[in-house]
Amino acid sequence: MTATGEELVAARGGPWWWDRRRGAVLDVGLAVASAVECGWEGVPFARETGIPASVGVVFGLLAGSVLLVRRKWPIAVVLVGVAVTPAAMGFLLGIVGLYSLAASEVPRRIIGSLAGMQLVGVLVVMSVRLRQDLATEDVDVGDWLVPFASITTALGMTAPPLLLGLYVGARRRLMESLRERADSLERELQLLAERAEERAEWARGEERTRIAREMHDVVAHRVSLMVVHAAALQAVARKDPEKAVRNAALVGDMGRQALTELREMLGVLRSGGGGERRGERVSVPLAAVGVAAAAAASRVVEEGEGPCLSEIEELVGQSAAAGMVVDLSVVGEARSCAREVESTAYRVVQEALTNVHKHAAGARTYVRLAYRVSEIAMQVENEPPSGAVSSAGLPSGGNGLVGMRERVSALGGVFVSGPTDAGGFRVSAVIPVS
């Protein structure tokens, strides 16, 4: 497991300006060592300048302890190191201060200027002190030794901490950038996961709606006709045995068709091993059930193909056989369209006729189908129901009109339904064919 940047920031608990306790301990240790060094070097400095030794020691202790604030004010630390260079003290102060400056977020031009000042200061001080020492000891050396030793010492005290600090600062900034990118990526992944969950929930809702619509279209019409025929069978069983036999045969045929289509829709639940096996339940995706329901809803048992507009006459005939007075009119030249278009048009007419059986038993019904250049229009309109014909008592769930509207809208069509001025009901739909 890796910690994100926010977790690392939250885990920091150092005192004052330190991020971690170990950083504070390190800086305190460096400050103590630098103070001891500068205090020790303050004794010869006091002797050379003629001031009391205690003053030199105190001055050295104060100058060396500046390393305590090297993380918060690195510029001040380097300036103090440059200032005490002529006093021949602050070796550790200069090196650590320059490293801290180079590793900080200070602009490069300021780092270069202060590093140059420290380089020049060390170079000048070393050159002067070497010449004084050589003159005091009366040693005869070449003219090249003093410049060489001064330049070498100045570069040795300036270049390594400067380069190391620049490297550490660049690496630290790179790690922070990578950590920020990781945090951003983690937030994006969380957002994508939330969106994916929302899309999955939306897809599940859509599949449930589609399953309900398909099962309603497959079952409702045939079962409604079965109920109507059963009611008629009960009414004429004693008066007209021959008609009762025909109605019974129709009820049996429609029942077998409804059972077959239900079996095809729900058969996917037993696919892949037959439900539960060895105590384990087989999980069937909801989308698979929706696909199976849609496929079963768009097939006719006898021919194995989806419902098409050429079967409208047979559909109207089934309603007429159930006692409905229905007129069918087709305008335009009949032609073959896409399977989805024909299936949707067929289902609209089928559901509209089912609603007439439920809510307007005995009403005269008109079914109009028009083939136009780029669209197909259909309309099912019924007159006010006749009081002489009793209702078969069919239940209504209120999903028929909603399902028709969803089907038509999915193909970019227009669906309109509502009561007529004469007291009947009209269902109209226009579906584009291209």
Side-chain angles (χ1 to χ4, degrees):
M1 297 292 291
T2 58
T4 62
E6 297 177 355
E7 294 174 348
L8 290 176
V9 172
R12 295 173 179 175
W16 295 343
W17 57 82
W18 286 283
D19 294 333
R20 298 180 180 87
R21 295 184 180 276
R22 61 182 182 181
V25 173
L26 175 63
D27 288 356
V28 171
L30 290 175
V32 170
S34 177
V36 171
E37 176 202 350
C38 293
W40 179 268
E41 294 170 345
V43 175
F45 170 71
R47 186 169 52 251
E48 292 177 359
T49 56
I51 61 176
S54 58
V55 175
V57 172
V58 172
F59 175 74
L61 292 175
L62 293 176
S65 61
V66 175
L67 274 183
L68 190 66
V69 296
R70 70 182 186 93
R71 297 177 190 266
K72 191 172 181 62
W73 295 299
I75 296 178
V77 174
V78 174
L79 289 176
V80 171
V82 173
V84 299
T85 299
M89 66 173 62
F91 176 79
L92 181 61
L93 175 65
I95 293 178
V96 177
L98 187 58
Y99 163 79
S100 302
L101 177 67
S104 66
E105 301 295 332
V106 176
R108 293 294 179 85
R109 62 179 183 275
I110 297 179
I111 296 176
S113 300
L114 293 177
M117 291 173 58
Q118 183 164 336
L119 175 66
V120 172
V122 174
L123 179 63
V124 171
V125 171
M126 287 299 299
S127 178
V128 171
R129 286 191 170 274
L130 283 175
R131 291 184 183 277
Q132 290 177 352
D133 294 341
L134 292 176
T136 302
E137 297 178 2
D138 195 16
V139 178
D140 187 13
V141 295
D143 296 336
W144 59 271
L145 180 61
V146 173
F148 175 78
S150 301
I151 294 174
T152 302
T153 304
L155 290 177
M157 294 182 62
T158 306
L162 177 65
L163 296 178
L164 180 60
L166 291 175
Y167 167 74
V168 172
R171 184 177 180 274
R172 182 183 303 157
R173 287 187 290 272
L174 176 61
M175 295 300 296
E176 292 178 355
S177 175
L178 293 177
R179 188 177 296 114
E180 290 177 358
R181 292 183 182 181
D183 295 341
S184 176
L185 180 60
E186 183 178 1
R187 288 191 294 268
E188 291 179 1
L189 290 177
Q190 292 177 351
L191 182 60
L192 289 176
E194 294 176 357
R195 291 181 177 176
E197 182 63 25
E198 293 176 358
R199 288 195 297 268
E201 185 63 28
W202 175 84
R204 285 192 291 268
E206 289 294 315
E207 286 300 327
R208 293 189 186 98
T209 302
R210 187 164 69 129
I211 293 172
R213 183 171 62 245
E214 298 295 347
M215 295 187 67
H216 179 274
D217 291 340
V218 168
V219 178
H221 179 72
R222 299 193 185 279
V223 174
S224 299
L225 291 180
M226 289 171 59
V227 175
V228 172
H229 281 292
L233 176 61
Q234 184 180 5
V236 302
R238 296 181 180 180
K239 298 179 181 179
D240 191 350
E242 294 183 359
K243 187 175 181 180
V245 171
R246 290 195 300 270
N247 287 343
L250 288 173
V251 171
D253 291 340
M254 292 178 183
R256 282 187 291 271
Q257 291 177 2
L259 287 174
T260 302
E261 291 177 348
L262 276 175
R263 187 180 300 112
E264 290 180 357
M265 278 192 298
L266 303 179
V268 68
L269 296 176
R270 296 186 177 274
S271 63
E276 295 184 0
R277 177 180 298 176
R278 294 182 182 178
E280 297 181 358
R281 180 170 296 177
V282 179
S283 177
V284 179
L286 186 61
V289 181
V291 172
S298 62
R299 288 198 298 269
V300 175
V301 177
E302 291 80 6
E303 298 180 1
E305 298 177 355
C308 56
L309 292 176
S310 61
E311 301 173 3
I312 290 292
E313 186 173 354
E314 179 183 353
L315 179 65
V316 172
Q318 293 176 357
S319 295
M324 179 187 295
V325 181
V326 55
D327 295 332
L328 173 64
S329 62
V330 180
V331 180
E333 183 179 357
R335 64 182 185 275
S336 178
C337 303
R339 179 178 177 180
E340 294 82 1
V341 174
E342 295 204 9
S343 175
T344 300
Y346 181 92
R347 294 301 186 191
V348 169
V349 176
Q350 182 188 59
E351 180 59 30
L353 292 176
T354 302
N355 287 341
V356 175
H357 284 293
K358 291 180 179 180
H359 307 292
R364 189 178 186 88
T365 305
Y366 303 92
V367 179
R368 300 182 181 90
L369 182 63
Y371 291 91
R372 299 172 183 171
V373 177
S374 59
E375 61 188 15
I376 295 178
M378 65 225 64
Q379 179 178 290
V380 179
E381 180 180 351
N382 63 274
E383 297 178 353
S386 174
V389 180
S390 61
S391 174
L394 293 170
S396 175
N399 297 319
L401 295 177
V402 176
M404 285 189 282
R405 188 183 305 277
E406 291 175 350
R407 282 182 176 274
V408 174
S409 300
L411 297 179
V414 178
F415 178 83
V416 179
S417 63
T420 62
D421 296 336
F425 199 84
R426 180 187 297 116
V427 172
S428 302
V430 178
I431 304 175
V433 297
S434 60

